[in-house]
Amino acid sequence: MAGEDAIAIIGAGPAGAAAASVLAGKGFAVRVYEANRRLGAKPCGKGIPSIGDLPVRIPRDSIVRRIKGAVLYVNGSLAFDVEEGLEGVIVDKERMLEAMIAESGADLIRGAVFKPSKGAVRIGAKYFEVKRGLLAGGHAFYPGETINALQYRLKSPMFENLDKLLIYFDTWLIGYYYIFPGPSNEADVGVGGFARFNDLQALLDKFIKTSEYTRNAVILKREGARIAVGGVKLGTTGGLPRIGEAAGFVLPLTGEGIRPSMISGAVAAEALASGRNPLDSMDKSSIARGIRVQRRILEKVKSMSPERRAELLKSIPAEAHAMIALGKIDRGSLVKVLARHPRLLARIISLL
Ligand SMILES: Cc1cc2nc3c(=O)[nH]c(=O)nc-3n(C[C@H](O)[C@H](O)[C@H](O)COP(=O)(O)OP(=O)(O)OC[C@H]3O[C@@H](n4cnc5c(N)ncnc54)[C@H](O)[C@@H]3O)c2cc1C
């Protein structure tokens, strides 16, 4: 098969597309093998809450809305309206991935399924050995803890001018509901958390019936998937280093996976290009550190009563919410915020 010496990227999601962009941009021959015919088909809210630290450019015509912050509700009451640090976008994920891969110059082979037991990709009835590459196959390859997430695509005039992400914590559930505006008058409204799929569905149905934004909306589509929340788990599968959600590059408290997966893909690709070990480079990345801190916080939160969870959520200052939520947590900036909020200092530092 032509291009046998090319670097193989398994999976054309955000991690695979970012890795392909970096490697092809450095002049390597790259082949992206994608099991599906359509890209970005996996359920996703498509929100990237901060674009400042993205390692790759988001193609302009894939941006469907600009986001200028997030509004957080705790048990139905408004808790915070956060703008600082949250300048993001909602994307048309399929269009973004198609454009990123096409612009990179990498080859994209659809309907190509990687089989780890054979260390090979199956295309039609034939197998092609993969000698060098990265595995960006998403949550199905993740060896850690996952939770359920369910979302509906809704249509309502209420979403037309929405330029913030709406997050609703219900502290009886370890998780949250979200309203992420989409194109024109549509939004993805979902819930993710530590609960069974049927229970989440009942909770989401109730939320949609009662929330002022959604109670008169029309449901266009229902979909669900799992999210890796167990933190970074580096390693190889079928001989390939895992990147993106397959390696746990998802922020465990928020379920945000597009930006972390892209960053991990770019970090791994840089390492591969310069002969370094991609696993070591991802391990040392600041996004891996942010994910580890969030995972520790999640462990604590899981063991708290709903009342203590509500108290903790409300006691975190707005500026720290964005920093923690985005996984941009380094001791220096945290200490600066907490110097202004001394009573919180001991509680949070003890989690690091
Ligand atoms: C309901 C829901 C809502 C979400 N909302 C958001 C959000 O708003 N913002 C956000 O940042 N994150 C969100 N996430 C998380 C985000 O979707 C993922 O973390 C992110 O897409 C992971 O990127 P990835 O490239 O690692 O994997 P994926 O996006 O899962 O891509 C993996 C690709 O690999 C392909 N593949 C799988 N197996 C094989 C194989 N054997 N051979 C070849 N190809 C294969 C798949 O078809 C897929 O195209 C959400 C998740 C869910 C479930």
Side-chain angles (χ1 to χ4, degrees), residues 10-16 33-36 38-49 93 112-116 135-141 149-151 178 180 223-227 243-246 249-250 255-261:
I10 308 299
Y33 296 101
E34 167 56 48
N36 281 331
R38 273 190 68 191
L39 306 191
K42 190 188 79 77
C44 181
K46 305 164 209 78
I48 308 180
K93 207 171 175 189
V113 183
F114 180 64
K115 298 284 178 188
L135 176 56
H139 67 87
F141 291 93
L150 172 71
Q151 76 177 22
Y178 57 86
F180 284 9
E223 53 187 1
R226 296 192 72 80
I227 305 187
I243 62 173
E245 189 160 353
F249 280 90
V250 176
E256 185 198 348
I258 299 174
R259 182 177 55 97
S261 289

Side-chain angles (χ1 to χ4, degrees), residues 29 167 176 181 342:
I167 311 278
Y176 65 87

Side-chain angles (χ1 to χ4, degrees), residues 26-66:
K26 290 181 181 292
F28 289 88
V30 180
R31 294 204 130 188
V32 181
Y33 296 101
E34 167 56 48
N36 281 331
R37 297 269 154 207
R38 273 190 68 191
L39 306 191
K42 190 188 79 77
C44 181
K46 305 164 209 78
I48 308 180
S50 163
I51 51 172
D53 61 344
L54 280 179
V56 286
R57 199 183 61 83
I58 303 282
R60 190 175 283 271
D61 69 354
S62 64
I63 296 173
V64 298
R65 206 176 284 227
R66 301 248 167 215

Side-chain angles (χ1 to χ4, degrees), residues 137 152 185 198 207 238 241 273 316 345:
Y152 298 171
N185 58 356
N198 287 348
F207 173 80
I316 297 175
L345 183 72

Side-chain angles (χ1 to χ4, degrees), residues 128-168:
F128 299 92
E129 189 190 350
V130 174
K131 294 186 188 130
R132 189 160 66 127
L134 298 166
L135 176 56
H139 67 87
F141 291 93
Y142 178 62
E145 185 175 29
T146 58
I147 56 165
N148 288 312
L150 172 71
Q151 76 177 22
Y152 298 171
R153 169 56 65 111
L154 300 187
K155 190 171 140 183
S156 160
M158 293 292 282
F159 305 136
E160 238 155 60
N161 300 316
L162 197 57
D163 61 1
K164 294 204 172 165
L165 305 176
L166 308 182
I167 311 278
Y168 299 79

Side-chain angles (χ1 to χ4, degrees), residues 104-342:
S104 76
D107 285 341
L108 172 62
I109 321 286
R110 298 166 203 260
V113 183
F114 180 64
K115 298 284 178 188
S117 58
K118 294 185 186 287
V121 168
R122 195 190 70 214
I123 304 171
K126 288 195 177 156
Y127 282 92
F128 299 92
E129 189 190 350
V130 174
K131 294 186 188 130
R132 189 160 66 127
L134 298 166
L135 176 56
H139 67 87
F141 291 93
Y142 178 62
E145 185 175 29
T146 58
I147 56 165
N148 288 312
L150 172 71
Q151 76 177 22
Y152 298 171
R153 169 56 65 111
L154 300 187
K155 190 171 140 183
S156 160
M158 293 292 282
F159 305 136
E160 238 155 60
N161 300 316
L162 197 57
D163 61 1
K164 294 204 172 165
L165 305 176
L166 308 182
I167 311 278
Y168 299 79
F169 290 101
D170 165 353
T171 51
W172 289 94
L173 168 75
I174 305 170
Y176 65 87
Y177 309 89
Y178 57 86
I179 300 179
F180 284 9
S184 62
N185 58 356
E186 294 182 10
D188 284 319
V189 180
V191 62
F194 287 83
R196 289 178 318 171
F197 196 80
N198 287 348
D199 294 335
L200 286 179
Q201 187 163 12
L203 287 169
L204 184 56
D205 286 338
K206 187 170 164 215
F207 173 80
I208 286 173
K209 272 192 201 127
T210 49
S211 158
E212 58 168 320
Y213 277 96
T214 53
R215 58 177 159 243
N216 296 317
V218 176
I219 299 179
L220 303 176
K221 184 170 157 187
R222 293 181 168 89
E223 53 187 1
R226 296 192 72 80
I227 305 187
V229 295
V232 173
K233 305 252 182 256
L234 295 165
T236 59
T237 298
L240 302 179
R242 295 189 304 273
I243 62 173
E245 189 160 353
F249 280 90
V250 176
L251 288 158
L253 287 175
T254 63
E256 185 198 348
I258 299 174
R259 182 177 55 97
S261 289
M262 282 182 170
I263 296 173
S264 74
V267 167
E270 292 278 355
L272 203 64
S274 54
R276 286 177 287 118
N277 183 341
L279 299 177
D280 286 346
S281 299
M282 286 189 283
D283 193 28
K284 293 187 189 113
S285 63
S286 61
I287 192 69
R289 192 170 56 234
I291 290 171
R292 288 190 185 109
V293 173
Q294 276 209 7
R295 177 66 204 180
R296 267 177 255 154
I297 297 175
L298 179 61
E299 282 304 322
K300 296 266 176 188
V301 167
K302 272 163 88 176
S303 66
M304 286 176 183
S305 66
E307 293 76 16
R308 280 207 62 209
R309 278 202 285 276
E311 188 204 323
L312 177 72
L313 275 167
K314 287 180 185 160
S315 67
I316 297 175
E319 62 219 282
H321 260 293
M323 200 169 77
I324 294 171
L326 294 171
K328 296 181 181 177
I329 318 160
D330 61 84
R331 278 172 193 264
S333 39
L334 194 56
V335 165
K336 256 189 231 160
V337 171
L338 293 174
R340 295 195 285 272
H341 305 274

